[in-house]
Amino acid sequence: MTIIADRLAELNIVLPSPAAPIAAYVPTVEANGMLYVSGQLPFRADGSLITGHLGVDYDVEHGRQAAERCAIMLLAQISAALGGNLDRVERIVKLGVFVACDSHFTDQPKVANGASELMVAVFGDAGRHARSAVGVPVLPLNAAVEADAVVAIRPA
Amino acid sequence: MTIIADRLAELNIVLPSPAAPIAAYVPTVEANGMLYVSGQLPFRADGSLITGHLGVDYDVEHGRQAAERCAIMLLAQISAALGGNLDRVERIVKLGVFVACDSHFTDQPKVANGASELMVAVFGDAGRHARSAVGVPVLPLNAAVEADAVVAIRPA
Amino acid sequence: MTIIADRLAELNIVLPSPAAPIAAYVPTVEANGMLYVSGQLPFRADGSLITGHLGVDYDVEHGRQAAERCAIMLLAQISAALGGNLDRVERIVKLGVFVACDSHFTDQPKVANGASELMVAVFGDAGRHARSAVGVPVLPLNAAVEADAVVAIRPA
């Protein structure tokens, strides 16, 4: 096993089959050593989607779990793009985290930490990324969180 | 004519004059072989803007058409940046699509397809991109959709 | 003093201590000659945060000032990443500006100009950037504006 595959196993993280795009686009594009990953939704291991608006129906912890699942979906897409070899990840460069919430919910950073902390747990210092986290009124399929990524990768 | 100019003609797409920025920024910046394109609003061929909130005043099809116009505005900006030669587009790398809607509208992916499908119709495989699509409560000038892009380009 | 340090002094801009991330991420990541800067909130020189929703509690000018403070926070982070030498900035490539507002407020471009005009004042032509500006229902800590950036930098 590779280094990151070992780490995933230690963390008991099983990468799901990467989600097919809902629409007319592709999950990842590589250009000039950077991998751009499409916005991922928080599908659970059983394939169900974590939905809802934070601050109305659900609390911060619900959002954190959703963000963590988005991060796992990002990993699944990155792994698929790299032929299964996550050791080619040089750096998680940037995460964009969109949190579905009402206009009084201001804990987007705590929610987004669910994704950020997973990246650091998996990649160590290479998982430390720049980030933006903002509130939005609604997301595709009523998802609670959506996250996209820019990743620096090593040549195959 | 160049290859992509031919394709645009076959698709009956006439590129408009690229919109001047509403404000203190520029339409495109090239850096390290990547072209960053500012968020574009859905101006029709007659110069009017497609406005409104989806899920309230308007339906998915209104949004799809708006997203397609955003994509055409992106093409106009990319063309202007490349001296009119869209054959220098190596890959449409990433689209960011923001959909003005109420908090119950969850068909952002179908709306954003209006932009995504146009890119594939024009560029073929080179038009297949990563994408994020999210809902927002409102956009500049009450536009229905805004889209920005990152594009990999070949040297002149 | 360096060229940009001189310019900052002429403009009476004092860079604050860069804000520590609220959460599990880092302020900046450099990859392939590009610096990705995390979303910055509009902290005033006294450390207080500019908050509120535009179109409800506050007007465009409040938002402009908030966007300008976001830009100053971006400069502080860029400066820290470059060991204090802002002359290594080759180009401000892209700003993403998120404006907290109600669903009838459509002056996001005027608000975002507070950030854009500051970049041009500081860097001249190298400060002219691509930009997206969108409305959002709410931001972390109830901030009025959040802005992130992509910056092309020269080797040290």
Side-chain angles (χ1 to χ4, degrees):
Chain A
M1 291 222 293
T2 63
I3 295 167
I4 298 298
D6 282 345
R7 187 81 55 85
L8 288 172
E10 287 167 16
L11 294 168
N12 285 316
I13 295 173
V14 178
L15 294 189
S17 299
I22 304 175
Y25 60 97
V26 292
T28 55
V29 172
E30 181 182 341
N32 297 354
M34 303 293 270
L35 190 71
Y36 290 76
V37 190
S38 291
Q40 298 296 306
L41 303 181
F43 291 100
R44 295 186 187 90
D46 67 6
S48 65
L49 184 65
I50 302 179
T51 60
H53 289 73
L54 305 184
V56 184
D57 315 314
Y58 297 104
D59 64 5
V60 170
E61 181 54 25
H62 181 84
R64 269 186 64 86
Q65 291 175 19
E68 186 177 285
R69 291 306 306 181
C70 288
I72 290 172
M73 299 307 295
L74 287 170
L75 288 183
Q77 299 290 12
I78 298 166
S79 178
L82 301 180
N85 183 4
L86 285 171
D87 291 2
R88 284 184 55 204
V89 170
E90 186 174 312
R91 185 77 185 257
I92 304 295
V93 173
K94 172 82 188 282
L95 295 187
V97 182
F98 302 92
V99 177
C101 58
D102 83 353
S103 62
H104 300 288
F105 181 87
T106 61
D107 276 335
Q108 288 81 16
K110 290 181 187 169
V111 168
N113 281 357
S116 294
E117 290 170 1
L118 186 98
M119 290 300 184
V120 175
V122 171
F123 295 106
D125 279 349
R128 290 160 56 87
H129 51 272
R131 192 181 86 183
S132 294
V134 302
V136 293
V138 62
L139 287 166
L141 310 181
N142 198 32
V145 180
E146 176 175 333
D148 63 11
V150 181
V151 181
I153 55 176
R154 296 186 185 92
Chain B
M1 292 224 289
T2 62
I3 295 167
I4 298 298
D6 282 345
R7 186 83 54 86
L8 288 172
E10 288 167 16
L11 294 168
N12 285 317
I13 295 173
V14 178
L15 293 189
S17 299
I22 304 175
Y25 60 98
V26 292
T28 54
V29 172
E30 182 183 340
N32 297 355
M34 303 293 270
L35 190 71
Y36 290 77
V37 190
S38 291
Q40 299 296 307
L41 303 181
F43 291 100
R44 295 186 187 91
D46 67 7
S48 65
L49 183 65
I50 302 179
T51 59
H53 289 72
L54 305 184
V56 184
D57 315 314
Y58 296 104
D59 64 4
V60 170
E61 181 54 25
H62 181 84
R64 268 187 64 87
Q65 292 176 18
E68 185 176 286
R69 291 306 305 182
C70 288
I72 290 173
M73 299 306 295
L74 287 169
L75 289 183
Q77 298 291 9
I78 297 165
S79 178
L82 300 180
N85 183 5
L86 285 171
D87 291 2
R88 285 184 55 205
V89 170
E90 187 174 312
R91 186 76 187 257
I92 304 294
V93 172
K94 172 82 188 281
L95 294 187
V97 182
F98 301 92
V99 177
C101 58
D102 84 350
S103 62
H104 300 287
F105 181 87
T106 60
D107 276 336
Q108 289 81 16
K110 290 181 187 171
V111 169
N113 281 357
S116 294
E117 290 170 2
L118 186 98
M119 290 301 184
V120 175
V122 172
F123 294 106
D125 280 349
R128 291 159 57 88
H129 50 272
R131 192 180 85 184
S132 294
V134 302
V136 293
V138 62
L139 288 166
L141 310 181
N142 198 31
V145 180
E146 176 175 333
D148 63 11
V150 180
V151 181
I153 55 177
R154 296 186 185 92
Chain C
M1 293 223 290
T2 63
I3 295 166
I4 298 298
D6 282 346
R7 186 80 56 85
L8 288 172
E10 288 167 15
L11 294 168
N12 286 315
I13 295 173
V14 178
L15 294 188
S17 299
I22 303 175
Y25 60 98
V26 292
T28 55
V29 173
E30 181 183 341
N32 297 355
M34 304 293 270
L35 190 71
Y36 290 76
V37 190
S38 291
Q40 298 296 307
L41 303 181
F43 291 100
R44 294 186 186 91
D46 67 6
S48 65
L49 183 65
I50 303 179
T51 59
H53 290 72
L54 305 185
V56 185
D57 316 314
Y58 296 104
D59 65 4
V60 170
E61 181 54 26
H62 181 83
R64 269 186 64 86
Q65 291 176 19
E68 185 177 285
R69 291 305 305 180
C70 288
I72 290 173
M73 299 306 295
L74 286 170
L75 289 183
Q77 299 291 10
I78 297 165
S79 179
L82 301 179
N85 183 5
L86 285 171
D87 291 1
R88 284 185 56 205
V89 170
E90 187 174 313
R91 185 75 186 257
I92 304 294
V93 172
K94 172 82 188 280
L95 293 187
V97 182
F98 302 92
V99 177
C101 59
D102 84 350
S103 62
H104 300 288
F105 182 87
T106 60
D107 275 336
Q108 288 81 15
K110 290 181 186 170
V111 168
N113 281 356
S116 293
E117 290 170 2
L118 185 98
M119 290 301 184
V120 175
V122 171
F123 294 106
D125 280 348
R128 290 158 57 87
H129 50 273
R131 192 181 85 183
S132 295
V134 301
V136 292
V138 62
L139 287 165
L141 310 181
N142 198 31
V145 180
E146 175 174 334
D148 63 11
V150 180
V151 182
I153 55 178
R154 298 185 185 91

